[in-house]
Amino acid sequence: MFEYLLFSLLNTLVLGMLFFMLSSGLTLIFSMMGVLNFAHASFYMLGAYFGYQISAVFGFGPALLLAPLAVGVLGALVERYGLRSVHKYGHVAELLFTVGLAFIIEEAVNLIWGRNAVTYPVPNFLDFSLFTLFTTSFSAYRAFMLLISVGIFAGVYLVLTRTRIGLIIQASLTHPQGVSALGHNVPAVFMLVFGGGSALAGLAGVIGGIFLITEPAMAATLGPIVFVVIVVGGMGSLTGALVASLLLAAIQTFAVGIDVSLGDIFARIGFQMSPGGLLKDLWRIKISHTGPILPYLFMVLMLMFRPKGLMGKRES
Amino acid sequence: MLLFMRRYGIWLAAVIVCVVLPYIFTSRLSLTLFCQMGIALIFALSYNMLLGQGGMLSFGHAVFYGIGGFLAMHALNKISGGTLPLPIELLPLVGGLGGLAAGIVFGWLSTERSGTTFALISLGIGELIAASALMLPSFFGGEEGISANRMVQTTLTGFRFGKQIEVYFLIAFWAIVSAALMYLHTKTPLGRVANAVRDNPERAAFIGYNTRAVRTLQFSLSAFFAGIAGGLFAINYEIITAETVGALASGSVLMMTYVGGVGHFFGPILGAILVTFMQVSLAGITHAWLLYFGLLFVGMVLWAPTGMAGIIMMHEPVWKAGLMKRLLPSYLLIALPSLVMFVGVMILVEINYHLSLSINPEAALQLFGIRFKAQSPVAWSTAILLAAIGFVFFRAAKRKVSRSWDEVTQTMKGGAV
Amino acid sequence: MLRRWLLSLTSVALLMLMALPVMAADTIKIAYIDPLSGAFAGVGDAGLKHFQYNAELINAKGGVLGGTKLEIVPFDNKTSAQDSLIQLKNVIDQGIRIITQGNGSNVAGALIEAVNKHNERNPGDEIIYLNYAAVTPAFTNEQCSFWHFRFDAHVDMKIAAITDYIKEQKKVKKVYLINMDYVFGHSVSDASKAMLKEKRPDIQIVGDTFTPMGKVKDFSPYVAQIKASGADTIITGNWGADMSLLVKAAKDAGLKAQFHTFYGGGLGAPKAIGAAGIGILNHVTEWHINLNHEEKNKQDEEFFLGYQAKYSGGGEVPYYYGRIRTQMQMLAAAIDKAGSADAKAIALALEGMEHETPYGTVTMRAEDHQLIQPLYISVYAKAGTDKVKYDAENSGVGFSTVKRIEAAATAMPTTCKMARPSK
């Protein structure tokens, strides 16, 4: 049991920090610009493919640096020449622009790298098991992921709280008009945040592409979960995003271990659900099967009852 | 009589077109296509009740379409089993009522706020239903879905629905009735208040309207029509699978509506016809259709956010003022470079698809009747050149178009004074 | 308003006329209805190339009916049941009466229904449907149809093969079942439980888990469960990312158990899983790329290398569906035997047909139209060695046979009560 708990906890951390890296950029973008960026996960995918391509030629080290940079530049360009010109048509148009963009990026990836998964292996120097406790081992790569993501959290946190640009960004989070009125170049800040957010997603892709699978569907499978993180965490709150990421990872990890069905729960409190009817399967589903759906349930409930999220500063 | 024609002529014309159409295009495919268009049209119009009229951007509208479809399918099985004495022509109503019921529940839950919060709730509900669909096989039929036979004994008309054309007329009937009802709805007080709530919820609330109730009502009605479309789906395909409640279906109706234009009642109709047509026929012509589709969509968002209907209606005053001939030269001027640019981009895309995804990249590629090797530098440079030249002249022509637009508007303003 | 309506309608009509394909004569066309765009296009694309290659080989030998060539016509169904039905209409319009499809039991189920209805409503103008990969047992049991022929072994047959192998493995004590939470996954789980109980009652089933399809990112929690259960063998029907992620997570956690899978070596999997599967990942198929080398079958090796050179994109997507060769050759033989390309005649000729493949005789069982063929269980192995010559998808890993299951052993009883048309 201790072994199970410990490793589940470690895996929660790894997955949670990956979610965080993905969503930290999005939460900044969303709360500053009000853009629900559906292409964010596509930047994550681009990061993975760039990482794959660069590490195939130059090795993993340069990929870790260059791929997020390239994705960041791409993100900034999208903001400058795409989003900014749609801005005048309102948020719906902006959002739809990103939906279309996600579409195009996926097709472009299909076109360039093919429709099947690519071989993006763990780099040699990380391909060993770090430690083995009882019978379960923990791979060095997972530890490396943890290290990078914690570093990113610290870095972003420091930039936001200790630098001038960070202070402007923070101010824009809560009072976008006020910052503009003070004479700061808000469009430039937007471009920077969008580029930076994309770069973070790209970095998540470089390391997540190895951890998971690098394939054209990777954006679509991870896309919605990122929205759950920013909603649950709350608008504009980096700490909220962190907490929400870990929470979601914990739900997914630990729900697997609960072998109780909804029918059992009702039975325990005294209701016997009829075994017939069109919804009979509902009572049969075990909590352990629902892990990955729970986040959406969580998101819907959160939006209904506490739309500003766990640690949000304001409503959207 | 003239007044009658002016007011109802368009509906009469629609009826005539619907009746005549299958006798002009007689192939099975075109008939299937018309049926699909009819269903998509109701679905898109119902979506526009949300987005266009109510200002609610939903990512989960297919939930009601699907639930309606599944309920109708279960009912159809009961009809053919003899346990439900309902004429099959009224089956879409079952779907509609199912959609309505689900719409009232989910509508009440999600419409307290509009805007992003609403959009995210609809996304969450859509994901939830889509993910649970495969886990609830009794209702959703698992991976294989639920099927039924539409050739049943209980019918109102003499139709047995063995032939596709009979189904076509049923769909056409429901499409016209639903479209008419939805059009009338825009003229009712509820339709108007929905507009008010979309444009300024605070003021609507101040006047004394319960914004949430208005939204819920609008949402439920929209779900009702989506359910009707789902019921027709059940009859048309005689099978329904979990994909109908999925994100793809929700995304596709959003695209139809937006490409058609949310600002005008007939926009979604245009969008549904065009997008359905593209989905079916473009996929048969080129494997790159998804890319063209994405480019078209992004292009619309960037340059024509009012959709096809918006572009058409923009010209209405010009047409009435008899100034179209002033615009035409500049339109012709821009058409040429656009075409050149499009052809260039198309060649590039096709070359790339041919290289990366075709059966045999070494084989020659045929475009516009010309056969060439995709690897040939001539093809590449021609394509890039065409695209570049087209782009340069397109920008120049675009300035010309906006100049002549300015002139025309000036003239019209002057005329009005 | 009226003018606008008419205008848009005419333009749509014009576009439609342009889209109508031109018919070519003098070939027997086979409609290939599978995803050619969207998320599953990679698989559909590969399948199309398999058919194309086999048609070419048959045509090079003179085609059928003394000189008529076979032609594969692709139709994109986007893995959707609805789109498949639309494409079926398209197929019928174009005068094609032989269709083949494989990806997705939802699509296959819809097609069987639609073909049945079409044939019932249009006597004398029937369609025949050759299924090369949809494995729901019902299609050749309670849902069986005279017009449907399946060339892949269905779920119960594959589980029978896996459990036959496990029966001999005395060191297997605890089995864990992990499957995707939909009909297919449940049938894998049910069949495994039933057959293990029958063949090895001493084996303990220590887990029976279902995972939401395509939603799990990190399988570590599931692997932790498997570990905690002490399982030494895992049976799974997972495919695609759900297969690859499971094996990757197992490797990370150092799980030392044997995986018995349906699609562990499926298209894209060797690339995604790579060395993580060596020695532990088994899959059950009717053919694999290293079989020709193991059996020293030159003719099959040539067949494989021919595809490798022409269609595999430099080995990126090698030949996978051995049964497509069987299917195309049997179809050609049936057309020759029937003396025409009429669907009903072909169906009658296919019923009960025996056919020689490089690896034994296969039979199209007349009572349920299920192909009975030998199956192989093979395991991931490092490629480029004496034993394992070819690698899959340039991943450096290939497959090594661990057991051959004879055709007769895979045959399962059927509940099919087939309605046959009057002759």
Side-chain angles (χ1 to χ4, degrees), chain C residues 159-178:
Chain C
I159 292 292
I162 292 173
T163 46
D164 270 357
Y165 172 69
I166 289 178
K167 189 166 76 178
E168 298 163 358
Q169 302 295 310
K170 292 298 167 219
K171 56 181 190 299
V172 176
K173 297 275 182 269
K174 291 176 173 176
V175 172
Y176 198 100
L177 309 172
I178 178 164

Side-chain angles (χ1 to χ4, degrees), chain B residues 28-29 143 148 243 279 289, chain C residues 37 78 80 93 106 117 311:
Chain B
R28 269 175 235 256
L29 178 65
E143 199 201 8
E243 74 202 47
Q279 278 173 346
W289 74 279
Chain C
S37 63
K78 304 150 204 155
S80 134
D93 276 350
N106 55 337
K117 279 171 191 155
Y311 286 123

Side-chain angles (χ1 to χ4, degrees), chain C residues 350-390:
Chain C
L350 268 178
E351 275 196 320
M353 180 184 270
E354 286 194 357
H355 177 77
E356 282 305 320
T357 71
Y359 303 107
T361 310
V362 300
T363 319
M364 179 53 74
R365 193 157 68 178
E367 47 186 317
D368 60 349
H369 294 185
Q370 169 68 50
L371 188 75
I372 310 293
Q373 57 190 338
L375 293 175
Y376 290 89
I377 292 177
S378 58
V379 68
Y380 270 49
K382 191 172 159 28
T385 60
D386 283 348
K387 251 188 93 208
V388 183
K389 188 169 174 189
Y390 298 109

Side-chain angles (χ1 to χ4, degrees), chain C residues 1 28 120 124 191 200 208 249 293 321 325 414:
Chain C
M1 195 81 168
I28 293 174
E120 194 183 302
R200 276 284 300 275
D208 184 10
H293 178 67
Y321 301 105
R325 170 172 52 183
T414 175

Side-chain angles (χ1 to χ4, degrees), chain B residues 9-10 13-14 17 21 25 27-30 32-34 36-37 41 65 127 131 134-135 137 141-145 147-151 161-164 233 236-239 241 243-244 248 266 269-270 273-274 277-281 283-285 287 289-290 312-313 316 319 356-361, chain C residues 1-6 8-9 12-21 36-39 45 48-49 52 56 74 76 78-83 85-87 89-90 92-93 97 104-107 109-111 113 117-118 120-122 125 136 138-139 143 181-184 211-213 215 239 310-311:
Chain B
I10 179 73
V17 166
L21 217 49
F25 302 98
S27 75
R28 269 175 235 256
L29 178 65
S30 41
T32 316
L33 200 57
F34 294 144
Q36 207 193 357
M37 282 173 182
L41 183 154
Y65 177 61
E127 286 284 335
L134 287 173
M135 296 187 186
E143 199 201 8
E144 277 106 80
S147 53
N149 193 339
R150 66 183 173 220
M151 291 175 74
F161 296 104
K163 297 203 190 81
Q164 188 66 32
F233 182 102
N236 186 35
Y237 295 105
E238 301 179 282
I239 185 167
T241 56
E243 74 202 47
T244 39
L248 222 60
F266 69 97
I269 300 181
L270 290 184
I273 291 177
L274 179 83
F277 179 72
M278 281 179 79
Q279 278 173 346
V280 172
S281 68
I285 301 171
H287 286 182
W289 74 279
L290 272 172
I312 293 173
M313 292 309 276
E316 199 186 14
W319 180 272
S356 79
L357 298 166
S358 75
I359 298 267
N360 181 7
Chain C
M1 195 81 168
L2 182 64
R3 196 188 306 254
R4 230 172 278 137
W5 260 85
L6 288 178
S8 47
L9 279 173
V12 166
L14 273 176
L15 279 167
M16 235 174 275
L17 284 177
M18 272 159 49
L20 285 180
L36 296 169
S37 63
D45 225 51
L48 176 59
K49 289 175 179 167
Q52 203 82 32
E56 271 171 27
D76 181 8
K78 304 150 204 155
T79 344
S80 134
Q82 178 197 346
D83 279 296
L85 298 186
I86 296 166
Q87 291 307 331
K89 296 277 159 60
N90 199 347
I92 299 171
D93 276 350
R97 291 296 176 268
S105 283
N106 55 337
V107 174
L111 280 177
E113 291 266 343
K117 279 171 191 155
H118 171 89
E120 194 183 302
R121 292 168 193 174
N122 302 277
D125 185 27
T136 302
F139 298 157
Q143 269 186 49
D181 199 2
Y182 72 114
V183 180
F184 166 67
T211 64
M213 194 172 157
K215 297 274 176 207
W239 49 266
K310 188 163 182 194
Y311 286 123

Side-chain angles (χ1 to χ4, degrees), chain A residues 224 227-229 231-232 294-304, chain B residues 119-125 127:
Chain A
F227 288 123
V228 179
V229 172
V231 165
V232 174
L294 286 178
Y296 301 110
L297 193 64
F298 206 47
M299 169 167 98
V300 170
L301 293 176
M302 189 61 111
L303 283 164
M304 283 171 196
Chain B
L120 280 170
I121 292 183
S122 71
L123 178 82
I125 289 177
E127 286 284 335

Side-chain angles (χ1 to χ4, degrees), chain C residues 119-346:
Chain C
N119 292 350
E120 194 183 302
R121 292 168 193 174
N122 302 277
D125 185 27
E126 285 90 354
I127 307 168
I128 180 172
Y129 166 32
L130 311 175
N131 165 6
Y132 74 90
V135 294
T136 302
F139 298 157
T140 49
N141 282 294
E142 57 271 25
Q143 269 186 49
C144 70
S145 155
F146 176 76
W147 307 105
H148 164 258
F149 291 85
R150 170 153 56 195
F151 291 84
D152 194 4
H154 65 63
V155 172
D156 293 354
M157 298 165 75
K158 288 184 180 174
I159 292 292
I162 292 173
T163 46
D164 270 357
Y165 172 69
I166 289 178
K167 189 166 76 178
E168 298 163 358
Q169 302 295 310
K170 292 298 167 219
K171 56 181 190 299
V172 176
K173 297 275 182 269
K174 291 176 173 176
V175 172
Y176 198 100
L177 309 172
I178 178 164
N179 286 292
M180 287 140 102
D181 199 2
Y182 72 114
V183 180
F184 166 67
H186 284 273
S187 56
V188 171
S189 158
D190 293 344
S192 307
K193 279 185 284 194
M195 291 189 203
L196 280 176
K197 196 172 170 194
E198 183 199 318
K199 292 177 186 168
R200 276 284 300 275
D202 61 307
I203 285 183
Q204 210 188 336
I205 303 216
V206 289
D208 184 10
T209 299
F210 296 96
T211 64
M213 194 172 157
K215 297 274 176 207
V216 180
K217 279 96 205 171
D218 183 8
F219 270 86
S220 302
Y222 294 99
V223 171
Q225 284 275 313
I226 296 173
K227 265 204 113 96
S229 75
D232 50 40
T233 301
I234 293 147
I235 298 180
T236 175
N238 284 17
W239 49 266
D242 285 355
M243 173 81 250
S244 312
L245 287 170
L246 174 63
V247 178
K248 277 189 158 191
K251 189 211 167 206
D252 272 358
L255 179 65
K256 301 265 183 315
Q258 286 289 317
F259 283 81
H260 282 282
T261 72
F262 283 22
Y263 302 114
L267 290 170
K271 231 177 196 171
I273 297 169
I278 289 180
I280 59 161
L281 183 53
N282 304 271
H283 66 151
V284 53
T285 50
E286 71 290 335
W287 185 92
H288 62 79
I289 55 170
N290 202 45
L291 206 50
N292 60 68
H293 178 67
E294 287 172 351
E295 304 278 328
K296 306 269 175 290
N297 191 322
K298 280 285 162 230
Q299 178 210 347
D300 186 39
E301 186 162 24
E302 250 171 55
F303 172 84
F304 163 68
L305 290 176
Y307 186 88
Q308 193 79 347
K310 188 163 182 194
Y311 286 123
S312 72
E316 287 293 302
V317 188
Y319 199 86
Y320 173 72
Y321 301 105
R323 53 188 179 265
I324 289 181
R325 170 172 52 183
T326 312
Q327 177 180 326
M328 288 298 284
Q329 289 181 354
M330 284 180 82
L331 175 66
I335 294 175
D336 278 336
K337 188 176 156 197
S340 86
D342 173 62
K344 193 160 142 192
I346 297 174

Side-chain angles (χ1 to χ4, degrees), chain A residues 30-311:
Chain A
F30 181 41
S31 38
M32 269 187 80
M33 311 167 62
V35 181
L36 211 50
N37 181 11
F38 271 77
H40 197 73
S42 305
F43 287 118
Y44 156 78
M45 170 159 77
L46 281 180
Y49 273 97
F50 286 174
Y52 154 75
Q53 199 67 66
I54 297 174
S55 53
V57 182
F58 300 107
F60 184 68
L64 201 57
L65 198 71
L66 292 178
L69 216 61
V71 177
V73 170
L74 211 64
L77 288 177
V78 164
E79 200 283 329
R80 175 68 185 79
Y81 294 101
L83 267 184
R84 204 175 290 182
S85 49
V86 205
H87 186 68
K88 55 181 174 289
Y89 306 131
H91 283 330
V92 172
E94 284 179 312
L95 192 154
L96 293 178
F97 172 78
T98 63
V99 172
L101 189 68
F103 218 71
I104 292 177
I105 292 181
E106 188 176 323
E107 274 304 296
V109 165
N110 271 329
L111 201 54
I112 300 171
W113 286 286
R115 279 161 172 163
N116 293 316
V118 295
T119 314
Y120 186 16
V122 175
N124 277 331
F125 65 97
L126 288 169
D127 197 9
F128 60 95
S129 89
L130 190 66
F131 62 89
T132 305
L133 202 66
F134 306 108
T135 59
T136 310
S137 53
F138 192 70
S139 75
Y141 188 72
R142 281 180 188 240
F144 171 75
M145 280 180 69
L146 209 53
L147 199 73
I148 294 270
S149 43
V150 170
I152 289 296
F153 176 66
V156 172
Y157 191 78
L158 282 179
V159 166
L160 281 183
T161 50
R162 294 279 185 273
T163 64
R164 190 178 162 73
I165 185 79
L167 291 176
I168 296 172
I169 291 173
Q170 269 201 314
S172 312
L173 286 179
T174 42
H175 305 90
Q177 288 89 2
V179 175
S180 184
L182 282 174
H184 292 289
N185 185 353
V186 171
V189 175
F190 278 5
M191 194 167 101
L192 191 77
V193 168
F194 201 92
S198 306
L200 281 181
L203 180 63
V206 176
I207 58 176
I210 295 177
F211 176 54
L212 304 174
I213 302 174
T214 306
E215 55 168 0
M218 65 192 289
T221 53
L222 217 58
I225 199 94
V226 197
F227 288 123
V228 179
V229 172
I230 63 165
V231 165
V232 174
M235 289 274 289
S237 168
L238 215 54
T239 331
L242 180 71
V243 172
S245 299
L246 292 175
L247 197 65
L248 284 185
I251 289 178
Q252 298 207 2
T253 310
F254 285 99
V256 169
I258 306 172
D259 216 18
V260 186
S261 74
L262 215 56
D264 294 344
I265 296 173
F266 278 109
R268 198 158 299 168
I269 52 174
F271 297 97
Q272 203 63 49
M273 289 303 153
S274 70
L278 285 179
L279 288 177
K280 61 171 185 268
D281 312 301
L282 198 58
W283 316 124
R284 179 193 59 87
I285 295 175
K286 291 187 168 155
I287 304 287
S288 54
H289 307 182
T290 58
I293 321 179
L294 286 178
Y296 301 110
L297 193 64
F298 206 47
M299 169 167 98
V300 170
L301 293 176
M302 189 61 111
L303 283 164
M304 283 171 196
F305 301 111
R306 195 183 153 85
K308 65 178 178 178
L310 285 179
M311 306 193 166

